[in-house]
Every structure is written in structure tokens, then in C-alpha cells.
Amino acid sequence: MKKWIGGILVLVLAFTAVLGCSNGKNGQDSEKPDQSTGKKINLTFSIAGSDEHKKMYEDLAAKFTTLHPNVTVEVMNVVNEDYDRKLSIMMASREAPDLGWVFESTIPTLFQAGQLLDVTEALKADKEYDFNDFYPATLELLTNEGKNYGVPFSTPTTMIFYNKTMFKEKGLKTPSELYTEGNWTLEEYLKAAQALTDSSKGIYGADYLHAWQYWSSTLLPLVWAYGGDLFNDDKSAIAINSPESEQAIQFYYDMLFKDKVHPKPGDSQSTFESGQVAMFKDMYSFVTKARKITDFEWDVAPLPEGPKGRGTLMGYAGIGVFSDTEHPEEAAQFLKFLSSKDSMSVTAQYFVPGRKSILESEIFMKPDQQPSPESIQIAVLDQMKDARVSPSHVKWQQINVTAQSIIDKLNTQQATVKDVLIELETALNALITP
């Protein structure tokens, strides 16, 4: 308990120090307060986060207002699964926020519709902002013809969160130990899931597809691990109906209905944090919930390796200024502020930053906080070089809705794996073929 309270105090002190610093050398935070008495401006910033994320951004917005007294920022938090749909509706009705989160799956659509503003000058004009501190690969999705239309604030890898206490009680090697030995494979993952499942107590060994509605970010890593893919190389055709993809989806299907080591889709009671799931696949951002766990020990490890690799997916969340904003200059300044080194030092408590100086420092790899620096090294940093961003397409919204309804037939045992793949290929090709 003392260690937990001490860790919280350290976090609070660090957070206060960062927010209280107005004389630093880290870009936007280093500027002097704007004494302008110009027209009062209110910006709306949309996110799809937790209550903790909203509070963090509200604190940062308050700091921004001390630097720009005529500008206030309202943080609009939208339920994650409704975010893209609601943002699309707001844009169609010309009621979009001034700036907000954007994701890899919808960025091509936003580009095509001209709904993101060029913020190159705002980001590169100030040398103290240190634009070159970003990993170049993290900027690619929001770069078009050499111009920047936003910046990434989180580039997390998929990983396995595991109940370390359960592994100890069963006398099993942990995923981290197996990875270090070079033996962390899908075969070992299944063996561990079988050993840890206890149906009499409602305990499942694995949860690889915890949210079936996010089929692309949850199933595709497994497909990639077997050598399959959703699209062909130029995204002109659907490639999901392949022997490799069939093996991958069959592995998932068998965990559900044959081995019975995986919660059924829609089971909201069997969760990792409740202690009813031993191994849980998710992005690094799940640490927000994991750090609240007090009933057992937990840790993180890379995804298990398949025939063609781990299939590690890199999530991608950026911030862009939307083209219908009435305050493009102020919105771009807030974007710059949020992506400064000082602000990213704060947001790194929840997100994997795109800035080298933050990601590789103790600000992100805190020695007194879970996961440990050693676990972050193997599950995040070591996996980033081979991680892949979830595929996107200008017709992604239609693809997503259609695929979700088809895959649901698999989850409800209304169709075989092969039948689902054939239907996916036919229906999705019809959507993307001119």
C-alpha cells in the first residue's frame, strides 16, 4: 500500500511540475503569456478517451489559456465506438469540432474529403518545437505531398497483458520468460490458455478478440502472424480469402468453440481486470485500467509468434485541425501546444508518444511504475520496428460495417470459417471495385 501511495505521489508531483513550468525550452510551453485582449475564442477539441484522459486534457487546456488568455478550449469526449460515426455526422452538418483525434482507418477518407487543414507552417516555424524529434514513420499517415495535416499523439503496439499471479500459482513460465527464451509462440500461448482456464470458476485462459466489433485491429494481427492479409499490395482487391487467413481465423474460432479457453463475443463480465481472464490482448493504452488493479500481479509481453511472425499491430491516433473551423490559427496553436515536448511528457502517462525524446526517457519508462522499463522495452520498443499500422481505405466506413456483420456470423456459429472468408471476399470486393 505504501509503495502504491508513493507511486501516486511521485506521479502527482511530476505532473504538477510539468504543468507548472512556464520557463522551459520545449516549444509552445516556453512562450510567454499572450497579453492580447482580442476577441474571446472558444475551441472544441474532440477525443474518444476515458474520464482520466478528459481530465488530463482539460488541465492542459487550462494551461494553454494562461498562455493565450482570449482562448478557451472545451474537451468533448465521445464514446470510442461512436466516435468516427459522430464525427462524420458533425462534419456533414458543418458542426464539427475545431480539432480532434483522428485514427488510421479514417485518415484517407478525411484527406479525400479535404477535411484536414495543412498545419506545416505552424509546426515547423518554431525551432524550439523541435519537429525533427518525431519518429518519421509516425508522421507518414498525416503527411501528404510533403505537407503535414496533424501529428500523432499515440503509436502503441498490441501486446499481451497477463495475470502474473495465475502463472505463479500454476507453476507456469510467464509469457515474458518464454519470450526471453525464444519460445513465446501461438502454440505455447494456447497451451498456457488451456492450463489456466477453469470453467468451474468462470476463468478463461485467453482473450485475443476482446471487442469483436473492432475486428480489424483484433483479428488482423493473427492473420498477419500466419502470413495472410486483408488487401492485396495496392489495395485494389480483397485478399482475406487465403489458406493463411483461414488457418489464423480457425485458430481463433477453435479457442472459442473447441478449446473453450476464450470468452464468447458479447461476454462483458469476463474481463482481465476482474481476474477472470489470464491473458488479454490489447494496446498499451490499456495500462490506464491495468494500473488500477490491486487484487493480483500483472505484466506485459509481446504477442506470441506465428508461422510468419508476431503480427504486431501499431495503433495510430493523431490530432488534426478540421477544415470547417472558424479559428484555424488558434486551433493550430493548440495542436502545437498539445504536441510539444512538455505536453507529451504529460500525455505519456497514458499514450505511447511519437517523440523520441519522450519515448526513450524515464518520463515514459518510469522505473517505479508498472509496466517496468524492462517489460516496456520488450513489449513496446523492441516491437515497433516490425509493427504494422491497421489497413485503411477511402471506403473504410463501408468496409468496416459490412465486414463486422459478416464476421458476426462466425461468432454466432452461423457459418464456417471458410464460408465467412468467401463472403468477406465477395462483399468487400464489391465495395472497393470501381
Side-chain angles (χ1 to χ4, degrees):
M1 178 64 75
K2 290 182 179 179
K3 183 177 180 181
W4 180 80
I5 294 174
I8 292 294
L9 288 173
V10 169
L11 177 60
V12 170
L13 290 172
F15 185 82
T16 304
V18 171
L19 289 182
C21 178
S22 61
N23 297 311
K25 298 181 181 180
N26 291 328
Q28 186 70 24
D29 285 6
S30 66
E31 69 173 87
K32 296 180 180 179
D34 183 355
Q35 301 301 321
S36 171
T37 57
K39 180 181 177 181
K40 295 295 183 181
I41 292 171
N42 182 64
L43 300 175
T44 302
F45 171 52
S46 60
I47 69 170
S50 65
D51 291 340
E52 291 89 349
H53 298 152
K54 186 174 187 288
K55 176 63 166 58
M56 175 185 69
Y57 279 120
E58 287 174 338
D59 289 340
L60 287 170
K63 174 67 186 302
F64 180 75
T65 298
T66 66
L67 300 171
H68 303 270
N70 67 314
V71 183
T72 57
V73 182
E74 175 189 354
V75 180
M76 179 178 71
N77 196 11
V78 180
V79 177
N80 195 300
E81 52 264 33
D82 292 338
Y83 184 79
D84 288 338
R85 181 182 60 82
K86 184 170 183 178
L87 187 61
S88 178
I89 292 172
M90 293 176 72
M91 286 181 170
S93 58
R94 304 187 70 82
E95 296 179 348
D98 297 280
L99 71 165
W101 286 9
V102 293
F103 301 101
E104 67 274 23
S105 59
T106 53
I107 288 172
T109 304
L110 294 173
F111 270 137
Q112 185 187 52
Q115 291 170 330
L116 290 175
L117 286 185
D118 176 8
V119 291
T120 309
E121 185 175 347
L123 299 180
K124 294 185 176 180
D126 186 350
K127 291 183 178 179
E128 290 188 349
Y129 177 75
D130 195 3
F131 186 80
N132 294 326
D133 186 42
F134 286 95
Y135 285 101
T138 67
L139 296 166
E140 289 178 3
L141 281 182
L142 284 166
T143 301
N144 190 24
E145 296 182 354
K147 296 180 180 179
N148 296 96
Y149 292 81
V151 291
F153 70 88
S154 185
T155 54
T157 55
T158 45
M159 61 189 66
I160 299 295
F161 288 78
Y162 64 92
N163 187 319
K164 198 171 182 179
T165 300
M166 280 191 189
F167 276 85
K168 285 183 178 178
E169 290 175 348
K170 291 287 186 178
L172 300 173
K173 289 184 178 180
T174 67
S176 298
E177 290 170 334
L178 290 168
Y179 174 80
T180 302
E181 295 173 358
N183 296 321
W184 183 225
T185 63
L186 283 170
E187 182 180 0
E188 292 299 323
Y189 172 80
L190 180 58
K191 286 181 181 178
Q194 291 169 330
L196 294 163
T197 295
D198 187 341
S199 58
S200 67
K201 297 180 179 179
I203 294 174
Y204 293 95
D207 188 343
Y208 198 91
L209 191 72
H210 70 285
W212 62 268
Q213 63 268 37
Y214 303 128
W215 63 272
S216 63
S217 60
T218 50
L219 268 184
L220 282 181
L222 192 57
V223 170
W224 291 340
Y226 275 87
D229 211 338
L230 177 61
F231 296 104
N232 63 358
D233 290 342
D234 64 1
K235 295 184 180 179
S236 62
I238 298 298
I240 193 70
N241 184 19
S242 68
E244 293 82 7
S245 297
E246 186 174 355
Q247 281 184 286
I249 306 302
Q250 191 67 52
F251 181 90
Y252 158 68
Y253 186 87
D254 288 346
M255 282 198 296
L256 281 171
F257 303 113
K258 178 185 173 183
D259 301 305
K260 299 181 179 180
V261 299
H262 193 294
K264 302 298 187 294
D267 180 354
S268 60
Q269 302 302 313
S270 302
T271 64
F272 178 76
E273 55 268 40
S274 70
Q276 291 179 285
V277 170
M279 296 181 290
F280 176 64
K281 180 175 73 65
D282 207 341
M283 298 282 187
Y284 177 82
S285 52
F286 182 73
V287 297
T288 305
K289 291 184 177 181
R291 285 173 179 158
K292 296 177 182 178
I293 294 171
T294 57
D295 294 336
F296 58 85
E297 288 185 81
W298 61 273
D299 207 342
V300 296
L303 295 186
E305 188 172 15
K308 297 295 181 181
R310 299 189 187 280
T312 304
L313 180 142
M314 178 187 288
Y316 192 94
I319 299 173
V321 176
F322 301 122
S323 57
D324 283 341
T325 178
E326 295 179 358
H327 311 290
E329 183 178 344
E330 290 80 9
Q333 285 301 313
F334 187 55
L335 165 62
K336 179 183 170 186
F337 171 83
L338 288 178
S339 55
S340 69
K341 291 181 181 179
D342 281 350
S343 292
M344 280 198 163
S345 295
V346 175
T347 61
Q349 64 185 296
Y350 298 122
F351 307 124
V352 179
R355 283 188 175 275
K356 302 175 188 176
S357 59
I358 308 300
L359 185 60
E360 298 172 1
S361 73
E362 286 192 1
I363 293 173
F364 180 66
M365 300 175 67
K366 295 181 182 294
D368 60 340
Q369 182 172 290
Q370 282 290 95
S372 67
E374 295 77 16
S375 294
I376 290 177
Q377 182 68 47
I378 65 169
V380 181
L381 303 189
D382 288 353
Q383 307 309 315
M384 288 185 76
K385 63 181 183 301
D386 296 320
R388 300 168 61 177
V389 175
S390 184
S392 56
H393 194 278
V394 293
K395 294 186 177 180
W396 183 258
Q397 287 190 8
Q398 299 98 306
I399 291 171
N400 186 41
V401 172
T402 302
Q404 184 174 310
S405 65
I406 295 171
I407 292 171
D408 195 29
K409 295 178 182 179
L410 186 71
N411 293 326
T412 55
Q413 293 184 281
Q414 296 178 46
T416 66
V417 171
K418 186 61 178 177
D419 288 341
V420 163
L421 293 178
I422 291 172
E423 189 174 353
L424 281 172
E425 180 181 43
T426 303
L428 300 186
N429 269 328
L431 284 176
I432 69 174
T433 301

